[in-house]
Each structure stands twice: as structure tokens, then as C-alpha cells.
Amino acid sequence: MPNYKEVYETWRQDPEAFWMAAAEEVDWIRKPTRALDDSEAPFYRWFADGSCNTCWNAVDRHVASGRGEQTAIIHDSPITGCQTKITYKALKSQVARLAGALAARGVVKGDRVIVYMPMVPEALVAMLACARIGAVHCVVFGGFAAHELAVRIDDATPKSILAGSCGLEPGRTLAYKPLLDAAIDQAKHKPDFCIVLQRPQLAAEMIEGRDLDWQEAVAAAEEVDCVPVGAADPLYILYTSGTTGQPKGVVRHNGGHMVALIWSMKYLYDVGPGEVYWAASDVGWVVGHSYICYAPLLMGCTTVVFEGKPVGTPDAGVFWRVIEEHGIKVLFTAPTALRAIKRDDPEGAFIRQYDLSAMQALFLAGERADPDTVLWCQAHLDKPVIDHWWQTETGWSIAANPLGIETLPIKPGSPAVPMPGYRIAILDESGRPLPPGTLGAIAIELPLPPGTLPTLWNAAERFKSSYLAHFPGYYETGDAGMLDRDGYVSIMARTDDVINVAGHRLSTGAIEEVLAAHPDVAECAVIGISDSLKGQAPLGLVCLNKGCGRPEEEIARECVGLVRKEIGPVAAFKLCVAVERLPKTRSGKILRGTMVSIADGKSYKMPATIDDPAILDEIAEKIAGLGQPGP
Ligand code: COA
Ligand code: AMP
């Protein structure tokens, strides 16, 4: 078995042969004759002359090869106290029927379908049903409010929306349907019909002529077969935060996605058919797309849909209970979940109550894995704790420790080494490569490997300007970091206005747009300050209109409410203060970095170009008055 260096070198020497060999793991309808099509670079297409169906590969082929009775999905819902298991055979039938219900109402290849659902198996059924008929799904995270959903409806222009009647958060039931109705009201585009899954916890009111009951629609539907799609046809769109309030619709193609995910299951996670894989995330995020739904099913594993929290449902032992009960081989989650567990169970007492012998490794991603958390997990679990780095845009790991090839030495604070397909460069502002140990912008040489974004939905120019314009010949990741002499990468910060709150990617620009719409707010800035549990927390600084006369605290409270209403609870926007003025350079640029340093209690250099240094004292005083948790 070759080691990591040999595998990476094999790819570097002949990427075409490497990916064609990896593509052998897919059941193609028409085999591709080559891997990369760069005829329209920088819009790269992988396996473009191949045809395939992702649902066939994730579901039907396992039934055909004798895995029909194996559990495909375990729904473990400590929040409702229920557990369900669905075999591949049953999954095939559920998916084929839902696909039939969509097809019967005119949904065809290329049409978009929005999925707005909580963590129930039907969310995966919905995604797979779309894939089956070549429709492009667009899953919207349940923690987003109506306005965010409306923005996505207008951009994706779906023919249909599949929704759950409610989501369940600890101690409260969230009615999804009123949010869906409000979003459709707000949006210019209207879907032809909605299919609503009525959950027993809260039934939704249906709109005659537009809304259909999921169970009834499925019961009346015929099962339909998989439709052939081009390997470079879109499988899904997933919106993610950029620098403005308009989210970026990351497009994922069918063929390259399958090839990359199957490769990653085997060589990165070291998981094979019949094994149980658990990504404790949400279907609304890329981790949920790749590693709750597609990768484990493509590999013929059992995947877990977990409806609960790492703590409080009912306690900090729930992850370990799930691992013991279902024989989980790999757990993948965000560091913030482990920080929450560590806070409630610092001595790891719960860990010792469960038999974790089936577990081979813990994988972390979504935000920086701080060494404290990694070391705590390693000490208490006595398993490899693997940090790996990726983004919605890439769909799978840029850098990782490939356990299926060899376990490389773990360096806490680093997500290890580049995966085949990725050539990482650390660049200075002018695009010159920097030597090892020097902090710079992290860029990836083009072309990006299979499975990564080929473009942005409806926004090819934005794709070029956001990712490719700054460093010609490279994809700009938006992360800053460095490489060490062993080729290990460290991710230190974002270079843009994106912040990471509890592993959730948020745009400070989007929050600023909401604050700026408050009638008493003249100007504002949102920054991400350190938070011991969530990594970062957004803090809003608002300057009020002259002579507004209303109490500052009241306006700050309204701003908090406004962000929750417009963006949703997921923004976790709880800190807002009114300030006299914002610190700016003489050319008018807001000094966000300086304010972050002040809030985090770090030393900072007084910017030479600041227009009025005295403002910083007021900002420091106001932030201190918030009494926020701090770093
Ligand atoms: N639907 C509706 N609301 C949701 C939601 C959903 N799917 N998910 C979260 N929310 C709400 C929460 O209830 C919370 O509301 P509140 O302000 O009324 O308390 C708010 O959004 C913020 O959520 P979150 O930042 O997740 O905080 P939390 O206190 O509920 O939980 C953790 C903190 C650390 C336990 C939690 O963030 C966690 O488990 N994170 C794991 C990270 C993860 O899955 N990342 C995905 C990428 S890998
Ligand atoms: P998302 O697109 O929501 O997955 O967020 C991607 C961003 O999360 C990356 O660009 C990083 O800023 C951050 N991120 C993800 N994984 C890691 C990691 N392992 N270490 C540090 N940051 C990470």
C-alpha cells in the first residue's frame, strides 16, 4: 500500500490518470472518456462526456448488489425520544415514490426544488428524489428566517418546495410553515406547489391548491426510475455567506462529486461498505450534504441523521451513547460541539460510561480546531482526533490526515496536508508565494479537483471576481494561514468579512445590511469577536441618527430582534451597542480589525491613518460594558 507522499505524487505526476482510476468506483451510464475538460477554463468540468445518476449510485445499486436489507439511515432523535431505521430497499422505495410525486407534477431534469426541512430522514429522501429525476435541489438551513429563504427562492426559482411542518430545538417547537408562507409571499418568484411533511409535534396549516400533504402525495405516486444526467449537470445548489447580503449559490455537479466523495470515504475517513458513519451536523450545511447524505450512501455505509444537540439532549453523554448504540466507526463534527461537551463534562466522566470500541477516529472541521479541544478529545477518547479543512465551495477536504492511506503525525492546530487534487500556495498581497512559516493568503492552484464548485448559480462573473480575480491562476480560499516545512497547513483567520459562529458561516456584511435598515441607525459595523464556546460571536456597533433622542439600549435591543427576524436565530446575534462614531482611516475605511483586537483584549498597533484615535477609547469602554464572555 503506497504512503501519503506516494499517493500525492501519483496524482501530481498524472492527474488525469489518477481521477480516471478513482472514477472506476462509480456506476456510470456512459463512461467518461476523460477526466478534465478545460476547454472553457476557468469554468472546469469533470468527466463531462460521462452520464450517470447520483441517486442510482447512492441507493439503487446497493439494493441491486444485495445490500437491500442493510440499514441505510438511522434517525436518532433524542429530542423526540424516537429512533427509526430505514433499509436501502425501503429507502429506494421512498425516494422513487417522492420522485414520482414530483415528476407527476411536472418537475423535470434541471428544475430546481428547495428543501427546507429539519433533521429527519425525509430530508435525505427529498435530496435523493431530486437527484433521481435530475432536478437540482437547494437545501435551506432551518435556522434561517423567512427573508433568507425568500432570497434563495428568488435566486434559485424553484418549481417546488419540500418542507417540514416544524423543527425542534431544545424546549421549543419551531413552526417552519409560517416562515415558508412568509418567504413565498416576500419572494417575486412563486413555486408551483409545496409538499409538506406533517410532523406529529406540530401540524401545519395548508394552503388549498398549493400545498400537498407529503404522505398523501407519496401514497398516490408511482415509483419512478433514475434519469440519466450529464456528469457536469448540477446536482445541487447550496447557498453560503459571502461579503454581502446576497448569498453565493455554490453549484455542485453530479459526476465529479461522486468520484471525490467516494475517494474521500476510502482514503481519508477509512470507511467502507456496511460500516456506520456519523456526521453530527445539519443537512442545511455542506457537511450535511457531503457526509450525512451523499458520501456514506455512495459508499454503502449506514449514515446517522441525528436530531439533537451535543449537550442538553439530555446531557453531554449523548454523542458517546450514539456511538456505542449504533457502532459508529467515524464521528465527524465541529470543534464547537466538543467545546460544549467539554464545558459540561470537563473530566470526561460520560465518555467512560460508554463502550466506544467501534470508533476508529474523530474528525473535526467547520472552524479552527483549537489545540486545547483537540488535546482534550485525544486524552479522553484515546483515538486519533483528525482536524480537516474544507469549505462549502470545495465540498470535501482540501487538507486532512488521510487515515485510509496512513495516519500521519498529528500536529494540534493544523489540519495536516493537502489532499490529491489540491496544490496549496501561501501568497502575499501581490500574489508572490511566501516561504514556509510565513502567514499569507491561502490559494489553490487551478484547476480545483473533482467535486469542487464549477461556478456560482446565476453568477458566473461573481464566481470569477470572488475567487479567481485576486490571484490569477489560483482559487482564493478567503482563509489566511501558513505551511510548515513538512507541508502541514495551518488556518488562522478569514481574509474577508466572513465569520464563523458555532461552525456556522456568517457574513458580517449581511448583518450590517439588516442593521443599516433600522430607521434610527445612521451607520454600523459588525465584527466577529472571540467566544469561548462558539469560536466567534457577532458584535454590532451602531451609530444613531443625530437627534434621534431614543434610549440607546432600546435601539440596540431592536437591532438584535431585527437580525433574528431577518436572518434567523442562526446568526446568534445578541451583542449590539450604540457608539458615537466608528473608527475609520482618513480615507473612510472602518477599522474592523482594530475593534476586534480591542474586544478580544489583544494588544494592537494604533493605525497610522486613523482619523481620530480618541474614538477607540469610547469603543473599548462600550465593549467592556457589554460583559460578553470574551476569548
Ligand atoms: N432551526 C431553527 N433554529 C435553530 C436551528 C435550526 N435548525 N439550529 C440552531 N437554531 C437556533 C438555536 O436554537 C439558537 O437559538 P437561540 O438563540 O434561541 O438559543 C440559535 O439558532 C443559535 O444556534 P447555535 O449557534 O447553534 O447555538 P446553540 O446554543 O443552540 O448550540 C452548540 C450551541 C455548540 C451546541 C451548537 O452550535 C452545535 O452543536 N454546534 C455543532 C456545530 C455544527 O453542527 N456545525 C455545522 C457545520 S459542521
Ligand atoms: P463553510 O463553507 O461553512 O464550511 O466554512 C468554511 C470556512 O470554515 C473555511 O473557509 C474556514 O474559514 C473555516 N474552516 C473550515 N474547516 C476548518 C478547519 N479545519 N480549520 C480552520 N478553519 C476551518
Side-chain angles (χ1 to χ4, degrees), residues 136 364 530 619:
V136 181
L364 300 175
S530 294
I619 301 274

Side-chain angles (χ1 to χ4, degrees), residues 286 366-368 387-392 479 491 494 500 505:
V286 69
E367 57 174 323
R368 181 173 157 75
D387 180 13
H388 58 330
W389 167 56
W390 50 298
Q391 314 180 305
T392 305
D479 284 317
I491 316 301
R494 290 286 303 190
N500 199 313
R505 177 166 156 181

Side-chain angles (χ1 to χ4, degrees), residues 118 141-144 167 169-170 172 174 176 280-282 285 287 308-311 319 332-334 336-337 340 365-367 501-504 533-534 564 568-572 574:
F141 178 60
F144 281 123
E169 284 291 291
R172 66 187 206 277
L174 297 144
Y176 277 20
S281 176
D282 189 286
W285 308 117
V287 176
K309 299 274 172 181
V311 292
F319 272 27
F332 174 176
T333 191
T336 190
E367 57 174 323
V501 180
H504 306 144
L533 175 66
K534 297 190 179 185
R564 194 176 174 94
V570 66
K574 311 226 155 136

Side-chain angles (χ1 to χ4, degrees), residues 37-44:
D37 173 359
D38 58 2
S39 57
E40 288 173 38
F43 300 99
Y44 296 97

